[in-house]
Amino acid sequence: MFLGGALTLLMIVALGHELFNAGLAGLSRTIPSNPLFYLAFASYYLAPPTFDYLIFRRLWGIPLAGMAALHKKRIANEVLLGYSGEAYFYAWARQRTQMVAAPFGAVKDVMIQSAIAGNTFTLALILLVAPFAATIHQEEVNPTTIAISAAVMIAMCVPFLLFSRRVFSLSKTQLWWVYGMHMTRLSVVTLSVAFAWHFAIPGVSMGTWIFLAAVRMLTSRLPFVPNKELMFASIAIVLIGSGEAVTELLALVAGLTLLAHIVLIAGFSLHGLWRRLA
């Protein structure tokens, strides 16, 4: 109870700090008028907690109310520390032993599968981006850096595969299903942000935006790329002639994401307070 309350308070403080220091800058840009942009953004924003809900719905049979805890899990991971959201969700599940007696194993397995799926998806994106490596400035990233990053990501997955019987608590069928759900989630998120960009700036082809969305996810996950933003901007400049439009879109999406975090945390906090006072 104290862990969940403390993480919720930290999320509110961190979100307020980001909103008043940088988050509103993205919203000050030109707001797209195409309603399809907001539908695509909604898909991009809601996909992670929705797929988590589908996973734990099958594993535990959690009620729809569990979506609130999964949204808090996602927000904690993004605005606090990586995997702090898993700590919050574990605390939430521990308070509901009638739903699941030993939640640690499933939370751990889903977290590891998410990391493995993320690395697998990134390796696939490397193959997609490799033919365009010549467009990337050598001082920002080079083929050797990408190769080392890919090798490290593969090495990080190998121990979990070799010692899977000791590491994982779920059955093989469940693990493969969870892995497939994570891969689907990553695909939906990538395509959704590409569609959002396309609806905001329709003058650029959809294929270009999908490629840029893939590059964006790739650059965010490569462990040994020092200048991720410069790498992404350099590819954007080559493809669409100017990185400024993409930078403004990134600021807008980041600002809208932060605003959605604020609205949800405020709503969850007020709802929790109302239930305690009722």
Side-chain angles (χ1 to χ4, degrees):
M1 179 181 66
F2 287 113
L3 176 61
L7 284 174
T8 299
L9 181 61
L10 284 174
M11 280 188 281
I12 293 173
V13 173
L15 287 169
H17 178 269
E18 290 294 326
L19 182 67
F20 290 107
N21 281 274
L24 291 178
L27 298 180
S28 65
R29 309 290 183 179
T30 302
I31 302 296
S33 58
N34 191 339
L36 294 178
F37 167 83
Y38 300 98
L39 290 177
F41 173 80
S43 174
Y44 161 77
Y45 183 83
L46 295 175
T50 300
F51 277 91
D52 279 346
Y53 172 77
L54 294 175
I55 289 172
F56 287 104
R57 175 72 178 178
R58 175 167 176 173
L59 297 179
W60 295 346
I62 65 174
L64 187 60
M67 279 291 289
L70 290 168
H71 274 286
K72 289 183 179 181
K73 166 181 169 290
R74 181 260 187 96
I75 295 172
N77 282 336
E78 292 189 3
V79 304
L80 296 178
L81 297 173
Y83 300 116
S84 61
E86 274 69 24
Y88 173 84
F89 187 64
Y90 173 68
W92 178 86
R94 285 275 296 184
Q95 291 180 307
R96 291 155 179 82
T97 53
Q98 75 280 4
M99 182 181 66
V100 53
F104 178 79
V107 173
K108 165 184 61 67
D109 288 2
V110 172
M111 178 184 68
I112 294 174
Q113 287 295 84
S114 176
I116 293 175
N119 287 348
T120 305
F121 198 80
T122 303
L123 292 172
L125 294 180
I126 289 177
L127 297 178
L128 175 65
V129 175
F132 302 90
T135 66
I136 305 172
H137 298 315
Q138 295 298 310
E139 63 270 15
E140 293 156 13
V141 65
N142 53 66
T144 301
T145 302
I146 295 180
I148 294 174
S149 299
V152 169
M153 285 187 288
I154 293 174
M156 291 171 62
C157 298
V158 169
F160 297 106
L161 300 177
L162 293 178
F163 304 101
S164 59
R165 292 184 178 180
R166 296 187 178 184
V167 173
F168 295 113
S169 305
L170 301 176
S171 66
K172 284 187 177 181
T173 301
Q174 290 174 319
L175 289 173
W176 276 112
W177 183 82
V178 170
Y179 174 82
M181 292 297 286
H182 283 309
M183 291 294 287
T184 305
R185 168 181 58 82
L186 291 168
S187 301
V188 170
V189 168
T190 301
L191 289 175
S192 295
V193 75
F195 273 104
W197 290 347
H198 173 68
F199 293 134
I201 306 180
V204 179
S205 68
M206 186 63 205
T208 300
W209 287 125
I210 292 176
F211 179 77
L212 280 176
V215 171
R216 176 174 176 255
M217 178 168 288
L218 172 61
T219 55
S220 68
R221 293 190 63 90
L222 287 178
F224 294 108
V225 177
N227 297 316
K228 303 178 189 295
E229 294 81 6
L230 291 177
M231 176 183 175
F232 179 71
S234 66
I235 297 177
I237 291 172
V238 171
L239 291 178
I240 66 175
S242 173
E244 183 178 355
V246 176
T247 301
E248 291 183 353
L249 271 180
L250 287 176
L252 174 62
V253 171
L256 289 175
T257 300
L258 185 57
L259 184 60
H261 287 347
I262 289 285
V263 171
L264 284 178
I265 284 294
F268 295 147
S269 300
L270 291 175
H271 180 262
L273 180 61
W274 177 79
R275 289 188 61 183
R276 287 183 175 86
L277 296 177

